[in-house]
Amino acid sequence: MALLLLFWSLLTPAVSRAGLQERVSEEVLANGLKVILLENHKAPLVTFQVWYRVGSRNEAWGKTGLSHMLEHMMFKGTGKVGPEEFSRIIQENGGNTNAFTSRDYTAYFENLGADRIQVALELESDRMQNLILREKDFQTERMVVMEERRLRTEDNPRAYLLEQVEATAFQTQPYHWPVIGWMQDITRFTLSDLEEHYRTYYNPANAFLVVVGDFEKAELLPKIENTFGPIPGGVVPDQERGIDPPQTGERRVIAKREARTPFVVMAYHVPNLRERDSYVLEVISALLSEGKSSRLYQTLVRKERLALSVETDHSLLSRDPNLFYVSAEPLPGKEPALVEEALAREIERLQAETVEDRELEKAKNQIEASFVFGQDSPFFQAMLLAWYEIALTWRAIDDYLVSIRSVTPQEIKRVARRYLIQDNRTVGILVPLHPEEGKARPPGSCTGEQTVR
């Protein structure tokens, strides 16, 4: 471990000095479309990504799941490209394509050889304005989405529990409902609902492009202007949404589902990267669960032998304030109540004791290593730029390591006392039921940012 820490202490200052902000360029076309470009000449490849500022947070009660459903329909063709031809054309050009929807965004990408980027430009600019929504395609694709929900949530006990915890923790803001939508809403919304969603949110003023790879900006930018520039800009939709008021008491959820083992999750309301405290929570997350030397693993898994696994999750880059999760899978025969008490003791330890410098330094080094390794591929560099752009601005990327490095032991104690308290949490317990005879065992799941494809 000492050698690893020395390695990173030598590497990360150089990386920080050559931060992404110094290498990224931003242009805004006349129709309002923002273009974020990062040249990376390590390999003759390029990732081309189109991000729309629309996700489940932009939906309404009774119409949940529209953003994800529209993502499926975006592959149903235009006047130039037939149904399901989009992916085939990309594959014939040696690339791959996909899309995903979250609470805050819907994104589409193509990974191609650098000499084929014009293919992606023409296909994506075409479906930004010329998508054809047909009733027959809608009816078929809705059945696909309903089956997807059954598979990923209804038949996944931990995903079901997590959905119930979030629906209980969020009572005002749209993070209350799942990205894929409630099953009742999926069965009710219509083709005209999708058409309105497309007209409202799919336009240059509500989108941005991220391109990372082997290109020259001076050559690529005119191509982007030629393909996306003629599209009418549209209107910037209202993005303000209600935020939950402070929670004033613990909430609890019990879910009884067919499962192998119980599961315990605690979810605390916390801020996002717009507040300094969120960076402190990043360090707290690493202290608690990053690696086998982390506090939760050492206590619950190794010493007390209460849990099979432990995990924390913090959504720094959500557009609105989100939740900080602490979870554990009890060992067979161990009561969830004992596991919950052990998790709570480790939280209380953060509030009562000052973290030693060596342990704090190790957590920061782990975060830095993960951050630097994460930028190894052009695809993830593009993802990182886009996540920050959605949450605040891509220019905030270079603040990350600086903010992490400046976290003090006193801040950890203060933030743990402010947010990781009983009155601010929702506790979820999965009570396993035995599967019916002859029925397959249900799969597991984990906490974390919801992204659906």
Side-chain angles (χ1 to χ4, degrees):
M1 176 60 77
L3 287 174
L4 178 64
L5 299 185
L6 174 61
F7 170 75
W8 285 113
S9 67
L10 292 172
L11 174 61
T12 51
V15 173
S16 299
R17 282 197 297 273
L20 276 181
Q21 192 169 156
E22 300 173 21
R23 295 179 283 139
V24 175
S25 64
E26 175 187 305
E27 305 289 338
V28 180
L29 305 189
N31 59 11
L33 181 67
K34 182 181 288 190
V35 181
I36 301 169
L37 303 174
L38 172 59
E39 294 184 27
N40 183 333
H41 301 287
K42 289 182 179 178
L45 302 171
V46 66
T47 181
F48 181 84
Q49 303 185 0
V50 184
W51 291 69
Y52 295 93
R53 299 179 192 273
V54 56
S56 59
R57 72 182 293 277
N58 300 96
E59 298 159 1
W61 294 89
K63 300 289 184 184
T64 65
L66 278 174
S67 302
H68 173 248
M69 182 71 197
L70 182 55
E71 176 217 306
H72 277 242
M73 296 295 289
M74 283 288 282
F75 292 87
K76 296 303 179 183
T78 66
K80 296 180 182 176
V81 179
E84 310 301 339
E85 286 189 6
F86 190 103
S87 299
R88 180 183 59 77
I89 294 172
I90 294 297
Q91 289 167 6
E92 286 177 350
N93 282 274
N96 62 73
T97 182
N98 212 328
F100 40 87
T101 306
S102 86
R103 289 166 166 155
D104 301 331
Y105 56 78
T106 306
Y108 304 83
F109 69 86
E110 287 79 42
N111 297 322
L112 290 156
D115 60 339
R116 302 300 175 96
I117 191 170
Q118 187 65 31
V119 177
L121 293 175
E122 292 176 359
L123 288 172
E124 289 290 5
S125 61
D126 180 34
R127 68 176 176 179
M128 179 180 281
Q129 57 183 330
N130 299 318
L131 182 68
I132 296 177
L133 294 167
R134 305 176 182 86
E135 183 67 30
K136 181 182 177 182
D137 294 334
F138 168 65
Q139 294 295 339
T140 302
E141 206 61 29
R142 180 161 63 179
M143 297 297 288
V144 173
V145 171
M146 290 168 67
E147 187 56 31
E148 183 180 340
R149 180 181 162 81
R150 290 189 190 96
L151 179 66
R152 294 192 176 191
T153 306
E154 313 288 347
D155 294 339
N156 188 321
R158 290 189 207 169
Y160 178 83
L161 174 69
L162 187 61
E163 185 178 272
Q164 295 300 306
V165 166
E166 290 166 347
T168 305
F170 293 114
Q171 299 189 340
T172 299
Q173 67 191 79
Y175 289 178
H176 171 82
W177 51 77
V179 173
I180 198 169
W182 300 120
M183 183 66 89
Q184 297 90 329
D185 292 350
I186 297 171
T187 62
R188 282 194 300 240
F189 55 54
T190 64
L191 187 65
S192 61
D193 291 328
L194 286 180
E195 290 170 342
E196 181 179 354
H197 209 64
Y198 180 66
R199 286 195 302 270
T200 303
Y201 294 105
Y202 280 59
N203 60 59
N206 194 49
F208 63 91
L209 310 182
V210 183
V211 192
V212 178
D214 187 25
F215 61 84
E216 299 293 335
K217 175 190 168 186
E219 296 178 5
L220 178 60
L221 194 56
K223 295 179 181 177
I224 293 175
E225 289 175 332
N226 288 338
T227 48
F228 285 89
I231 302 174
V235 178
V236 179
D238 177 19
Q239 290 285 1
E240 294 303 315
R241 295 294 182 273
I243 301 298
D244 271 86
Q247 191 169 324
T248 57
E250 183 185 80
R251 301 166 189 163
R252 300 186 76 84
V253 176
I254 305 296
K256 296 181 179 179
R257 309 289 286 188
E258 290 184 359
R260 297 176 180 176
T261 59
F263 193 67
V264 179
V265 59
M266 297 176 174
Y268 300 84
H269 287 279
V270 293
N272 60 5
L273 83 163
R274 295 169 190 264
E275 295 187 30
R276 158 77 185 174
D277 288 352
S278 194
Y279 294 99
V280 182
L281 287 160
E282 287 279 279
V283 178
I284 288 176
S285 180
L287 287 169
L288 288 176
S289 70
E290 185 64 40
K292 293 187 176 180
S293 62
S294 64
R295 291 187 172 193
L296 291 181
Y297 190 90
Q298 283 293 312
T299 301
L300 275 78
V301 177
R302 297 198 64 176
K303 294 178 182 176
E304 300 184 11
R305 298 189 180 281
L306 289 170
L308 282 167
S309 62
V310 290
E311 186 179 0
T312 59
D313 189 79
H314 176 226
S315 300
L316 175 80
L317 298 178
S318 62
R319 196 180 192 286
D320 300 319
N322 210 322
L323 299 172
F324 183 94
Y325 300 90
V326 181
S327 61
E329 179 183 4
L331 271 169
K334 300 296 183 183
E335 288 296 322
L338 292 177
V339 174
E340 182 185 337
E341 289 173 7
L343 291 173
R345 282 198 301 274
E346 287 302 320
I347 298 292
E348 291 165 1
R349 186 180 161 201
L350 284 170
Q351 298 163 343
E353 300 176 4
T354 301
V355 178
E356 294 184 358
D357 290 342
R358 181 179 176 78
E359 185 183 12
L360 180 57
E361 188 66 17
K362 184 197 73 174
K364 292 178 180 179
N365 286 337
Q366 288 173 319
I367 293 171
E368 286 192 5
S370 177
F371 186 77
V372 174
F373 270 129
Q375 296 181 41
D376 193 44
S377 77
F379 180 79
F380 193 80
Q381 283 182 329
M383 295 285 286
L384 194 63
L385 287 164
W387 285 331
Y388 270 87
E389 178 64 21
I390 290 288
L392 184 60
T393 166
W394 62 265
R395 291 182 171 82
I397 289 176
D398 288 344
D399 297 336
Y400 182 76
L401 291 183
V402 175
S403 299
I404 293 296
R405 273 292 163 201
S406 63
V407 171
T408 67
Q410 291 72 32
E411 283 184 298
I412 290 173
K413 189 183 291 187
R414 177 184 60 77
V415 168
R417 288 174 175 175
R418 179 176 180 183
Y419 300 104
L420 307 185
I421 58 176
Q422 185 172 4
D423 283 350
N424 188 41
R425 78 184 179 198
T426 300
V427 179
I429 306 292
L430 172 65
V431 178
L433 302 177
H434 293 296
E436 296 176 8
E437 189 173 348
K439 187 176 180 180
R441 288 182 176 274
S445 180
C446 60
T447 57
E449 172 71 10
Q450 288 189 46
T451 306
V452 179
R453 171 64 188 112

